PDB file of all heavy atoms in Angstrom:
ATOM      1  N   PHE A  13     102.084 105.954 122.488  1.00  0.00           N
ATOM      2  CA  PHE A  13     102.124 106.077 121.032  1.00  0.00           C
ATOM      3  C   PHE A  13     101.375 104.924 120.377  1.00  0.00           C
ATOM      4  O   PHE A  13     101.488 103.781 120.819  1.00  0.00           O
ATOM      5  CB  PHE A  13     103.570 106.030 120.512  1.00  0.00           C
ATOM      6  CG  PHE A  13     104.407 107.197 120.925  1.00  0.00           C
ATOM      7  CD1 PHE A  13     105.214 107.117 122.037  1.00  0.00           C
ATOM      8  CD2 PHE A  13     104.385 108.368 120.194  1.00  0.00           C
ATOM      9  CE1 PHE A  13     106.000 108.184 122.424  1.00  0.00           C
ATOM     10  CE2 PHE A  13     105.158 109.445 120.576  1.00  0.00           C
ATOM     11  CZ  PHE A  13     105.970 109.349 121.697  1.00  0.00           C
ATOM     12  N   SER A  14     100.663 105.238 119.311  1.00  0.00           N
ATOM     13  CA  SER A  14     100.094 104.219 118.435  1.00  0.00           C
ATOM     14  C   SER A  14     100.766 104.383 117.079  1.00  0.00           C
ATOM     15  O   SER A  14     100.705 105.462 116.482  1.00  0.00           O
ATOM     16  CB  SER A  14      98.582 104.405 118.276  1.00  0.00           C
ATOM     17  OG  SER A  14      97.907 104.138 119.468  1.00  0.00           O
ATOM     18  N   ALA A  15     101.413 103.340 116.621  1.00  0.00           N
ATOM     19  CA  ALA A  15     102.066 103.345 115.321  1.00  0.00           C
ATOM     20  C   ALA A  15     101.210 102.541 114.354  1.00  0.00           C
ATOM     21  O   ALA A  15     100.934 101.366 114.597  1.00  0.00           O
ATOM     22  CB  ALA A  15     103.459 102.740 115.425  1.00  0.00           C
ATOM     23  N   VAL A  16     100.775 103.168 113.283  1.00  0.00           N
ATOM     24  CA  VAL A  16      99.919 102.520 112.290  1.00  0.00           C
ATOM     25  C   VAL A  16     100.758 102.191 111.061  1.00  0.00           C
ATOM     26  O   VAL A  16     101.366 103.081 110.453  1.00  0.00           O
ATOM     27  CB  VAL A  16      98.728 103.424 111.900  1.00  0.00           C
ATOM     28  CG1 VAL A  16      97.888 102.771 110.814  1.00  0.00           C
ATOM     29  CG2 VAL A  16      97.879 103.750 113.126  1.00  0.00           C
ATOM     30  N   ILE A  17     100.783 100.917 110.711  1.00  0.00           N
ATOM     31  CA  ILE A  17     101.474 100.446 109.509  1.00  0.00           C
ATOM     32  C   ILE A  17     100.421  99.847 108.588  1.00  0.00           C
ATOM     33  O   ILE A  17      99.721  98.919 108.966  1.00  0.00           O
ATOM     34  CB  ILE A  17     102.520  99.365 109.829  1.00  0.00           C
ATOM     35  CG1 ILE A  17     103.511  99.841 110.882  1.00  0.00           C
ATOM     36  CG2 ILE A  17     103.232  98.916 108.549  1.00  0.00           C
ATOM     37  CD1 ILE A  17     104.437  98.737 111.396  1.00  0.00           C
ATOM     38  N   VAL A  41     104.633 101.519 123.090  1.00  0.00           N
ATOM     39  CA  VAL A  41     104.181 101.810 121.731  1.00  0.00           C
ATOM     40  C   VAL A  41     103.263 100.677 121.268  1.00  0.00           C
ATOM     41  O   VAL A  41     103.648  99.511 121.264  1.00  0.00           O
ATOM     42  CB  VAL A  41     105.358 101.948 120.745  1.00  0.00           C
ATOM     43  CG1 VAL A  41     104.853 102.300 119.361  1.00  0.00           C
ATOM     44  CG2 VAL A  41     106.353 102.985 121.230  1.00  0.00           C
ATOM     45  N   PHE A  92      99.424 109.740 121.228  1.00  0.00           N
ATOM     46  CA  PHE A  92      99.944 110.238 119.962  1.00  0.00           C
ATOM     47  C   PHE A  92      99.821 109.131 118.922  1.00  0.00           C
ATOM     48  O   PHE A  92     100.018 107.966 119.238  1.00  0.00           O
ATOM     49  CB  PHE A  92     101.422 110.633 120.079  1.00  0.00           C
ATOM     50  CG  PHE A  92     101.676 111.727 121.066  1.00  0.00           C
ATOM     51  CD1 PHE A  92     102.136 111.444 122.341  1.00  0.00           C
ATOM     52  CD2 PHE A  92     101.460 113.053 120.717  1.00  0.00           C
ATOM     53  CE1 PHE A  92     102.376 112.445 123.260  1.00  0.00           C
ATOM     54  CE2 PHE A  92     101.696 114.067 121.631  1.00  0.00           C
ATOM     55  CZ  PHE A  92     102.152 113.774 122.904  1.00  0.00           C
ATOM     56  N   VAL A  93      99.527 109.509 117.680  1.00  0.00           N
ATOM     57  CA  VAL A  93      99.441 108.545 116.580  1.00  0.00           C
ATOM     58  C   VAL A  93     100.501 108.901 115.560  1.00  0.00           C
ATOM     59  O   VAL A  93     100.693 110.076 115.215  1.00  0.00           O
ATOM     60  CB  VAL A  93      98.047 108.563 115.917  1.00  0.00           C
ATOM     61  CG1 VAL A  93      98.000 107.609 114.740  1.00  0.00           C
ATOM     62  CG2 VAL A  93      96.972 108.220 116.926  1.00  0.00           C
ATOM     63  N   THR A  94     101.167 107.886 115.063  1.00  0.00           N
ATOM     64  CA  THR A  94     102.187 108.072 114.051  1.00  0.00           C
ATOM     65  C   THR A  94     102.031 106.986 112.991  1.00  0.00           C
ATOM     66  O   THR A  94     101.478 105.917 113.272  1.00  0.00           O
ATOM     67  CB  THR A  94     103.596 108.057 114.701  1.00  0.00           C
ATOM     68  OG1 THR A  94     104.581 108.354 113.730  1.00  0.00           O
ATOM     69  CG2 THR A  94     103.872 106.742 115.382  1.00  0.00           C
ATOM     70  N   PHE A  95     102.468 107.271 111.798  1.00  0.00           N
ATOM     71  CA  PHE A  95     102.305 106.346 110.674  1.00  0.00           C
ATOM     72  C   PHE A  95     103.671 105.908 110.166  1.00  0.00           C
ATOM     73  O   PHE A  95     104.620 106.692 110.146  1.00  0.00           O
ATOM     74  CB  PHE A  95     101.517 107.013 109.545  1.00  0.00           C
ATOM     75  CG  PHE A  95     100.106 107.366 109.951  1.00  0.00           C
ATOM     76  CD1 PHE A  95      99.810 108.619 110.445  1.00  0.00           C
ATOM     77  CD2 PHE A  95      99.092 106.425 109.848  1.00  0.00           C
ATOM     78  CE1 PHE A  95      98.520 108.940 110.841  1.00  0.00           C
ATOM     79  CE2 PHE A  95      97.800 106.737 110.239  1.00  0.00           C
ATOM     80  CZ  PHE A  95      97.511 108.001 110.733  1.00  0.00           C
ATOM     81  N   LEU A  96     103.745 104.660 109.751  1.00  0.00           N
ATOM     82  CA  LEU A  96     104.976 104.086 109.215  1.00  0.00           C
ATOM     83  C   LEU A  96     104.616 103.242 108.004  1.00  0.00           C
ATOM     84  O   LEU A  96     103.698 102.416 108.071  1.00  0.00           O
ATOM     85  CB  LEU A  96     105.651 103.215 110.289  1.00  0.00           C
ATOM     86  CG  LEU A  96     106.887 102.423 109.889  1.00  0.00           C
ATOM     87  CD1 LEU A  96     108.016 103.351 109.445  1.00  0.00           C
ATOM     88  CD2 LEU A  96     107.343 101.541 111.054  1.00  0.00           C
ATOM     89  N   TRP A 102     112.209 102.714 111.415  1.00  0.00           N
ATOM     90  CA  TRP A 102     112.547 103.866 112.240  1.00  0.00           C
ATOM     91  C   TRP A 102     113.870 103.638 112.945  1.00  0.00           C
ATOM     92  O   TRP A 102     114.193 102.515 113.330  1.00  0.00           O
ATOM     93  CB  TRP A 102     111.492 104.075 113.311  1.00  0.00           C
ATOM     94  CG  TRP A 102     110.198 104.629 112.848  1.00  0.00           C
ATOM     95  CD1 TRP A 102     109.943 105.323 111.702  1.00  0.00           C
ATOM     96  CD2 TRP A 102     108.958 104.552 113.540  1.00  0.00           C
ATOM     97  NE1 TRP A 102     108.621 105.686 111.645  1.00  0.00           N
ATOM     98  CE2 TRP A 102     107.994 105.224 112.775  1.00  0.00           C
ATOM     99  CE3 TRP A 102     108.570 103.982 114.747  1.00  0.00           C
ATOM    100  CZ2 TRP A 102     106.675 105.344 113.171  1.00  0.00           C
ATOM    101  CZ3 TRP A 102     107.254 104.097 115.144  1.00  0.00           C
ATOM    102  CH2 TRP A 102     106.325 104.783 114.359  1.00  0.00           C
ATOM    103  N   LYS A 106     113.657 107.520 117.373  1.00  0.00           N
ATOM    104  CA  LYS A 106     112.799 108.435 116.625  1.00  0.00           C
ATOM    105  C   LYS A 106     111.706 109.042 117.497  1.00  0.00           C
ATOM    106  O   LYS A 106     111.549 110.253 117.583  1.00  0.00           O
ATOM    107  CB  LYS A 106     112.167 107.731 115.425  1.00  0.00           C
ATOM    108  CG  LYS A 106     111.160 108.602 114.677  1.00  0.00           C
ATOM    109  CD  LYS A 106     110.192 107.733 113.883  1.00  0.00           C
ATOM    110  CE  LYS A 106     109.205 108.527 113.084  1.00  0.00           C
ATOM    111  NZ  LYS A 106     108.220 109.233 113.867  1.00  0.00           N
ATOM    112  N   LEU A 107     110.915 108.206 118.144  1.00  0.00           N
ATOM    113  CA  LEU A 107     109.805 108.711 118.948  1.00  0.00           C
ATOM    114  C   LEU A 107     110.299 109.485 120.163  1.00  0.00           C
ATOM    115  O   LEU A 107     109.689 110.485 120.555  1.00  0.00           O
ATOM    116  CB  LEU A 107     108.878 107.576 119.365  1.00  0.00           C
ATOM    117  CG  LEU A 107     108.144 106.872 118.218  1.00  0.00           C
ATOM    118  CD1 LEU A 107     107.276 105.744 118.762  1.00  0.00           C
ATOM    119  CD2 LEU A 107     107.308 107.845 117.407  1.00  0.00           C
ATOM    120  N   GLN A 110     111.161 112.948 118.925  1.00  0.00           N
ATOM    121  CA  GLN A 110     109.960 113.702 118.596  1.00  0.00           C
ATOM    122  C   GLN A 110     109.209 114.112 119.853  1.00  0.00           C
ATOM    123  O   GLN A 110     108.696 115.232 119.941  1.00  0.00           O
ATOM    124  CB  GLN A 110     109.061 112.902 117.662  1.00  0.00           C
ATOM    125  CG  GLN A 110     109.621 112.821 116.258  1.00  0.00           C
ATOM    126  CD  GLN A 110     108.707 112.081 115.314  1.00  0.00           C
ATOM    127  OE1 GLN A 110     108.115 111.063 115.660  1.00  0.00           O
ATOM    128  NE2 GLN A 110     108.589 112.595 114.105  1.00  0.00           N
TER     129      GLN A 110
END
Side-chain angles (χ1 to χ4, degrees):
F13 294 95
S14 292
V16 177
I17 305 171
V41 182
F92 299 100
V93 177
T94 185
F95 296 93
L96 175 62
W102 286 339
K106 175 202 182 291
L107 295 179
Q110 287 182 319

